[in-house]
Amino acid sequence: MRDWDDAYANSAHVPGSDKLPALWTERAAAYRAALKSFQPEIAYGPGERQRFDLILPDGDSKGLVVFVHGGYWMRFDKSFWTDLAEGARHHGWTVALPSYTLTPAARISDITAEIAAAIAVAAAQVSGPIRLAGHSAGGHLVTRMLCDDGRLEPAVYNRVASTLSISGLHDLRPLLKTKMNDTLGMSLEEATLESAALHMPRGPSPLTAWVGGSERPEFIRQAELMANVWTGFDVLTRLVVESGHNHFTVVDGLKDPSSAITKSLLGLD
């Protein structure tokens, strides 16, 4: 029998990963302190964690980028990741970073609805095209916005120019075999419903599945699966396996305006 806990155990396979949350916190706080235009804690719902931050460019905004964090729907919030906005901000995009209610206080299907609400509120404040990005569980959440049962209103969905799922989870059924599910509380029905790879796409909105070449094989499989399945539905999909990166370093390029991942996010490649 396969060890499914090990298959998804990123921290156990990255030396020094226990020190990373403190590093992310420090890095993000320093970035916020240096920002010229930062609008924190914008409510998109009544919940304590239903808030997003907006990072604005120096000049006119070209549109909206929404970045959704990971943490297996159980950990972290928007404050850890502010500096990942720099690549898009440098190119003139407004960046929204939402928090969301974590499991077990919310079901994964509830979190999907929260992200749709966050995107809708941010879209009402920022005109122009929308580009979605998410890491790990966040990759799952942004990809779910493109599914045939997507929660975005048509006027918002039609503005989505592209979606970037970074190390995303697109078939949640294997997680039923992990100890994490004690916290996630998924049934087979919910895991199936929340698996983007098991849905038809709502439309032809392009999707890129991006993953680090040094990640756990399961994350590479999940990226390959998503890109493969939706290609069959005439969606412009792209798979990028970026060599030299693990599950935690694969998002670092979003801080760099000239990186390949930033260019992919903004349609500059």
Side-chain angles (χ1 to χ4, degrees):
M1 295 290 291
R2 185 172 182 181
D3 185 344
W4 287 100
D5 288 303
D6 183 67
Y8 288 97
N10 293 300
S11 296
H13 294 271
V14 177
S17 60
D18 58 316
K19 299 179 176 62
L20 289 175
L23 173 64
W24 297 331
T25 299
E26 180 181 357
R27 201 168 63 184
Y31 179 77
R32 285 193 299 273
L35 282 171
K36 295 179 181 178
S37 187
F38 176 61
Q39 298 178 9
E41 299 296 320
I42 299 171
Y44 66 85
E48 180 180 355
R49 292 178 59 93
Q50 293 175 347
R51 302 287 186 272
F52 64 83
D53 295 340
L54 272 185
I55 294 90
L56 283 75
D58 293 336
D60 293 337
S61 176
K62 293 180 179 178
L64 174 68
V65 168
V66 180
F67 176 80
V68 183
H69 72 82
Y72 281 126
W73 309 274
M74 299 185 294
R75 293 183 290 273
F76 304 125
D77 59 48
K78 57 185 172 57
S79 70
F80 286 80
W81 318 106
T82 321
D83 54 322
L84 297 184
E86 179 55 24
R89 190 210 66 82
H90 177 89
H91 285 286
W93 290 75
T94 302
V95 182
L97 292 97
S99 292
Y100 47 85
T101 308
L102 300 177
T103 58
R107 305 196 67 82
I108 291 178
S109 53
D110 297 329
I111 300 171
T112 298
E114 289 190 15
I115 293 304
I119 294 169
V121 172
Q125 299 194 20
V126 182
S127 61
I130 299 169
R131 296 184 179 273
L132 305 178
H135 177 231
S136 196
H140 157 264
L141 292 165
V142 295
T143 307
R144 284 288 285 119
M145 300 300 107
L146 307 182
C147 295
D148 51 4
D149 67 339
R151 312 289 186 93
L152 296 177
E153 293 296 324
V156 177
Y157 171 80
N158 290 335
R159 290 171 55 190
V160 178
S162 67
T163 298
L164 177 64
S165 176
I166 309 164
S167 310
L169 296 162
H170 307 115
D171 182 357
L172 306 192
R173 293 172 299 176
L175 295 172
L176 297 174
K177 304 176 184 180
T178 69
K179 293 183 177 64
M180 282 189 294
N181 201 46
D182 293 344
T183 299
L184 302 178
M186 283 192 296
S187 63
L188 177 59
E189 180 181 14
E190 184 178 27
T192 301
L193 173 67
E194 285 299 319
S195 295
L198 304 182
H199 278 274
M200 297 284 289
R202 181 173 177 176
S205 188
L207 172 68
T208 296
W210 194 291
V211 66
S214 298
E215 296 208 43
R216 304 294 294 136
E218 180 65 4
F219 282 86
I220 296 174
R221 184 190 73 83
Q222 290 266 352
E224 292 173 339
L225 173 68
M226 194 66 228
N228 188 331
V229 170
W230 274 18
T231 297
F233 299 122
D234 297 322
V235 172
L236 180 60
T237 64
R238 182 184 178 203
L239 171 68
V240 178
V241 182
E242 188 176 14
S243 63
H245 284 286
N246 62 46
H247 189 72
F248 304 117
T249 63
V250 69
V251 291
D252 284 348
L254 292 175
K255 298 181 291 184
D256 180 359
S258 64
S259 71
I261 195 169
T262 294
K263 291 178 179 179
S264 179
L265 170 62
L266 302 180
L268 300 175
D269 53 356

